[in-house]
Amino acid sequence: MKVKPTLLLLALGVGLILGILAGCCHGSLQVGFYVGKCGFADVEALVAGVISAHFLRDPTIVAALLRLQFHDCFVNGCDGSILIDGINSEKTAPPNLSVRGYDIIDEAKAVVDNACPGVVSCADLIAIATRDAVFLSGGGRYEVETGRRDGLVSIAQNVSILGPKISVPDAIAAFADKGLSATDMVLLLGAHSVGVAHCSLIKHRLYNFQGTGNHDPAMDPFLVNILRSRCPQISPIDNTVNLDQNPLSPFLMDVSYYQNIMLHRGILQIDQQLGMDPLTMPIVRNLASEFDFPTRFGAAMVKLGAIGVLTGTQGEIRTSCRATN
């Protein structure tokens, strides 16, 4: 049977469109969800204006927003539940006491609600704001998927965040439980190319690793001496150190995090173990020597942002990000 060329081209065109659509979305999330839903206003441009202003004043917001999104998505899914205030909300859980960036999301919410009240979710604002911060720090611009709705539950007891001493196999298992691969995990931990760690999280590596009375043998001795000067064994102040020890790029999303790991200059225990465990070492080595980290990190962030989302008629669109309606 002969097929008319016009019908064949039409079929191919429909197939191509369906293929593109299939590649742009996770479930009910989609790129450009708010196009046309806020009058003539561009929701993502409004948020970008807020983030740019904050970034110019304080580039450390990149690490803050990355952490905020990770801590939100890894509990109830990416539903903005970490933003809710309360005596027993997620904010009050020990792993979240040092999380910051709430004020930035509040400001973004005020700006978009001024243009179109009750349309944009707080959960989506976290994803958009984080993407914009990553872009400003040199991490590339990935297309963020939107369409999330806000969760109704925020309980401190639900919070279980991976600690810096976790083993690579246990970390892989925890990420797999969220539908993320070992490669996704290594990419997402690349967020440690910005930000800081408190000395209390690394002192065990500097002074008495596993009861040996010495430093972690996996850490470069020269780096040990530098960190000991910043993190005295006994000190009333819990200082911070850069997670990326490249002095030229502590605020840039780049591959120096992986390059430092290969030089045994990873700061957190889990960071260094990524470069030594046979399950993840090849991934780290590949990232350290390639130039596609921004693109791959963006793809991993899109997958992270799709964990346990509420869409359609689920959840709500909060009036205030700090309280359910």
Side-chain angles (χ1 to χ4, degrees):
M1 182 180 69
K2 292 185 177 180
V3 180
K4 292 183 178 180
T6 52
L7 292 178
L8 179 60
L9 289 172
L10 178 61
L12 289 172
V14 170
L16 178 60
I17 292 171
L18 290 175
I20 293 172
L21 290 175
C24 77
C25 318
H26 284 91
S28 299
L29 299 182
Q30 64 186 72
V31 174
F33 176 83
Y34 292 108
V35 174
K37 292 183 172 66
C38 195
F40 293 106
D42 183 333
V43 168
E44 294 192 24
L46 292 174
V47 177
V50 173
I51 303 308
S52 296
H54 276 275
F55 179 82
L56 289 173
R57 295 193 299 268
D58 178 15
T60 69
I61 69 162
V62 183
L65 288 172
L66 280 164
R67 190 163 180 240
L68 177 65
Q69 182 171 5
F70 183 84
H71 281 226
D72 182 46
C73 293
F74 247 64
V75 181
N76 290 330
C78 308
D79 65 350
S81 54
I82 194 173
L83 303 174
I84 295 176
D85 288 337
I87 58 173
N88 191 39
S89 70
E90 289 177 27
K91 280 183 179 178
T92 67
N96 289 337
L97 294 178
S98 58
V99 171
R100 60 190 180 93
Y102 303 118
D103 58 321
I104 300 174
I105 304 302
D106 288 340
E107 186 177 334
K109 176 68 169 172
V111 169
V112 297
D113 273 11
N114 184 58
C116 49
V119 173
V120 183
S121 71
C122 301
D124 273 344
L125 289 174
I126 293 175
I128 298 169
T130 303
R131 184 275 309 275
D132 291 340
V134 168
F135 171 66
L136 290 170
S137 67
R141 181 178 175 83
Y142 54 92
E143 293 292 342
V144 70
E145 296 179 344
T146 45
R148 299 166 188 77
R149 286 169 66 86
D150 297 319
L152 304 172
V153 177
S154 182
I155 302 173
Q157 289 90 323
N158 290 343
V159 176
S160 179
I161 300 296
L162 309 182
K165 295 181 183 180
I166 192 171
S167 70
V168 169
D170 286 348
I172 289 175
F175 275 78
D177 188 54
K178 305 297 182 183
L180 300 169
S181 68
T183 298
D184 293 328
M185 180 191 77
V186 175
L187 284 164
L188 290 170
L189 285 175
H192 290 174
S193 62
V194 293
V196 298
H198 283 274
C199 289
S200 55
L201 296 177
I202 64 171
K203 277 188 179 180
H204 70 287
R205 298 191 68 203
L206 302 178
Y207 295 102
N208 189 25
F209 185 68
Q210 296 181 348
T212 61
N214 207 337
H215 64 81
D216 183 349
M219 183 181 282
D220 170 32
F222 182 72
L223 177 61
V224 170
N225 290 332
I226 293 175
L227 295 179
R228 280 178 174 175
S229 66
R230 180 68 178 166
C231 302
Q233 191 164 12
I234 300 175
S235 173
I237 301 174
D238 194 7
N239 287 329
T240 59
V241 298
N242 288 335
L243 284 167
D244 182 355
Q245 284 294 300
N246 181 346
L248 300 178
S249 64
F251 302 117
L252 293 179
M253 291 289 298
D254 59 17
V255 297
S256 65
Y257 163 75
Y258 302 104
Q259 293 169 344
N260 273 299
I261 288 175
M262 297 307 295
L263 295 171
H264 292 270
R265 295 174 64 83
I267 297 299
L268 298 178
Q269 188 170 327
I270 181 59
D271 291 337
Q272 189 55 59
Q273 289 303 312
L274 291 180
M276 300 172 66
D277 192 290
L279 295 171
T280 50
M281 180 174 61
I283 306 170
V284 173
R285 183 188 296 118
N286 173 263
L287 286 165
S289 60
E290 299 295 333
F291 299 96
D292 59 351
F293 168 65
T295 301
R296 295 177 67 184
F297 180 77
M301 286 296 291
V302 171
K303 290 182 69 174
L304 171 71
I307 296 174
V309 295
L310 303 175
T311 58
T313 59
Q314 299 171 316
E316 64 182 10
I317 303 296
R318 286 185 215 139
T319 302
S320 165
C321 290
R322 293 176 178 266
T324 59
N325 295 341

